[in-house]
Amino acid sequence: MNTDTSSAVDDRKPTGGELAGAMETRGGVHRGAGDCIELRRLHRFFGKTKAVNDISFSVARGHVFGYIGPNGAGKTTSMRILATLDLPSYGDAFIDGFSVINDPELVRRRLGFMPDSFGTYRDVNCKEYLDFFARANGLVGRERNQRLEWVLDFTGTAGMASKPIRGLSKGMKQRLCLGRALIHDPAVLILDEPAAGLDPRARIELRKMIRELADRGKTVLISSHILTELAEMCDSVGIIEQGCLLATGSVEQIQRQRETHRELTIRLLDRASECAQEIETRTGIDRTLVDGTLVRFEFEGDLEAQADLVAWIVGRGYRVAEVASHKKSLEDVFLQVTEGLVQ
């Protein structure tokens, strides 16, 4: 009796875990550890305008990288090159180890791109829209149906699969666009301003989806003007202005690098004005302000220098009740690093 069942048709519906594992393997997520996005001395010129000027950075597999910069800084141009929609003037970029110049077809199989604005077909419904892009990406038969089912469920659009796109809210259209980027199970996602125009709840839900995708092994490069959300969502960030990368690393690393000045607030039980006058005699002190029993000032130095300063104040006989140090937020760092220049 022939016991070979390799050619048998399995009509059993796969479980969520089996389907998720199949999706991730097909998209190349498990090719191994290492950098999944890499830009090597990337340049893109438009006449005399240097839209991207010698940019290099990499993003590890399964990480979320926040791309930050003012309008016209070069973010979208960089993303378009990564998505093989434009070619660099010099340099190269790699997606999952494949060059955007030499292997664009292989890059596209591993990449999902969500532009800042996308065209929709007003007279088709959500499922028809996603099905079109599933077919365009070569998905057929059972695999296509499984991908459609998973994407509709993951993005929360299953309940409106039959609803015309023209009737969707901004938030639901963004979910649908994310679904389009996910339909072929890419290893890498490039998201250009995905939270633009969304209400607070929609932004929170989008942030959760992106973190879940990273936890599944997807590598995500995301641009946004909502810096507080990037600080919570991203493993690392890059700050770009006038086509140049000004800083890169984790939020904490960049904060430490730029934290040569911090704002200190000291609450005293008495003699606040007298204490402020003595503090002003110290080096590295600027912008001293007295507000009742509070003394606020800019302080230049690290945490050890801050501890020494507080010990000096106590040693001078002042009764310190509370010390607060204002840590620079990502927005503070962005304002400090950039100059608001455009091209």
Side-chain angles (χ1 to χ4, degrees):
M1 182 175 66
N2 184 10
T3 59
D4 182 8
T5 59
S6 60
S7 60
V9 176
D10 183 8
D11 292 327
R12 179 180 61 87
K13 185 176 180 180
T15 66
E18 291 172 338
L19 183 53
M23 301 173 340
E24 292 178 352
T25 302
R26 181 183 179 278
V29 174
H30 296 311
R31 289 187 64 222
D35 296 331
C36 210
I37 300 174
E38 185 178 5
L39 282 69
R40 296 183 188 170
R41 307 214 55 186
L42 199 67
H43 297 73
R44 183 63 173 103
F45 303 151
F46 296 97
K48 295 182 179 180
T49 301
K50 298 179 180 180
V52 177
N53 189 13
D54 197 10
I55 287 183
S56 299
F57 66 81
S58 59
V59 185
R61 191 176 306 277
H63 281 210
V64 180
F65 183 90
Y67 210 21
I68 306 169
N71 293 327
K75 302 187 301 297
T76 296
T77 300
S78 305
M79 290 178 159
R80 285 177 56 82
I81 291 173
L82 286 169
T84 72
L85 299 175
D86 196 4
L87 287 171
S89 302
Y90 305 101
D92 203 349
F94 298 84
I95 296 293
D96 210 17
F98 295 98
S99 165
V100 299
I101 298 174
N102 299 324
D103 306 299
E105 289 298 326
L106 293 175
V107 167
R108 290 167 193 151
R109 294 177 191 173
R110 290 160 172 79
L111 179 77
F113 180 52
M114 181 176 173
D116 57 350
S117 61
F118 68 104
T120 58
Y121 304 93
R122 290 174 53 83
D123 296 324
V124 301
N125 62 39
C126 295
K127 187 172 183 178
E128 290 169 341
Y129 179 79
L130 292 173
D131 185 60
F132 171 82
F133 286 99
R135 293 170 184 267
N137 280 284
L139 300 180
V140 296
R142 184 182 181 187
E143 182 184 20
R144 188 179 80 245
N145 292 332
Q146 290 173 350
R147 288 301 303 162
L148 282 170
E149 181 180 342
W150 185 87
V151 167
L152 285 167
D153 180 66
F154 179 78
T155 59
T157 54
M160 46 191 65
S162 300
K163 187 173 182 177
I165 292 177
R166 64 174 179 271
L168 298 182
S169 66
K170 171 71 174 180
M172 296 310 297
K173 285 181 179 179
Q174 290 295 81
R175 286 172 177 262
L176 186 63
C177 188
L178 178 61
R180 185 188 75 178
L182 286 169
I183 195 66
H184 60 299
D185 187 28
V188 177
L189 289 169
I190 307 294
L191 312 178
D192 193 2
E193 298 287 348
L198 300 186
D199 61 63
R201 177 177 291 276
R203 291 203 304 268
I204 292 171
E205 292 171 348
L206 177 65
R207 185 170 71 234
K208 289 180 179 178
M209 285 191 284
I210 292 171
R211 274 310 330 172
E212 182 175 345
L213 289 168
D215 292 341
R216 289 175 177 269
K218 307 292 186 187
T219 306
V220 183
L221 189 152
I222 177 173
S223 70
S224 178
H225 291 300
I226 308 170
L227 303 189
T228 53
E229 292 195 347
L230 287 184
E232 297 176 6
M233 184 194 320
C234 298
D235 300 292
S236 56
V237 298
I239 300 177
I240 180 176
E241 186 174 44
Q242 285 196 311
C244 299
L245 193 65
L246 304 181
T248 185
S250 69
V251 174
E252 292 77 13
Q253 288 171 340
I254 295 178
Q255 285 172 334
R256 286 198 299 268
Q257 292 168 4
R258 301 287 169 174
E259 206 170 29
T260 56
H261 288 78
R262 68 182 71 198
E263 183 182 88
L264 286 182
T265 301
I266 297 178
R267 182 185 298 276
L268 298 112
L269 295 181
D270 50 27
R271 301 164 60 201
S273 297
E274 183 180 342
C275 181
Q277 291 175 4
E278 290 207 46
I279 289 174
E280 287 180 332
T281 65
R282 303 270 297 187
T283 58
I285 303 296
D286 192 20
R287 300 181 183 178
T288 304
L289 174 67
V290 178
D291 181 9
T293 60
L294 299 178
V295 179
R296 294 191 179 93
F297 54 92
E298 292 283 335
F299 174 67
E300 182 178 357
D302 57 16
L303 289 176
E304 288 191 6
Q306 177 182 316
D308 291 340
L309 175 63
V310 174
W312 177 83
I313 293 171
V314 173
R316 301 289 290 178
Y318 295 102
R319 298 191 295 170
V320 176
E322 184 179 351
V323 178
S325 175
H326 172 67
K327 184 179 180 180
K328 290 183 181 295
S329 67
L330 185 56
E331 290 180 340
D332 294 329
V333 174
F334 177 77
L335 292 174
Q336 184 180 349
V337 171
T338 62
E339 299 178 21
L341 302 176
V342 295
Q343 301 189 88

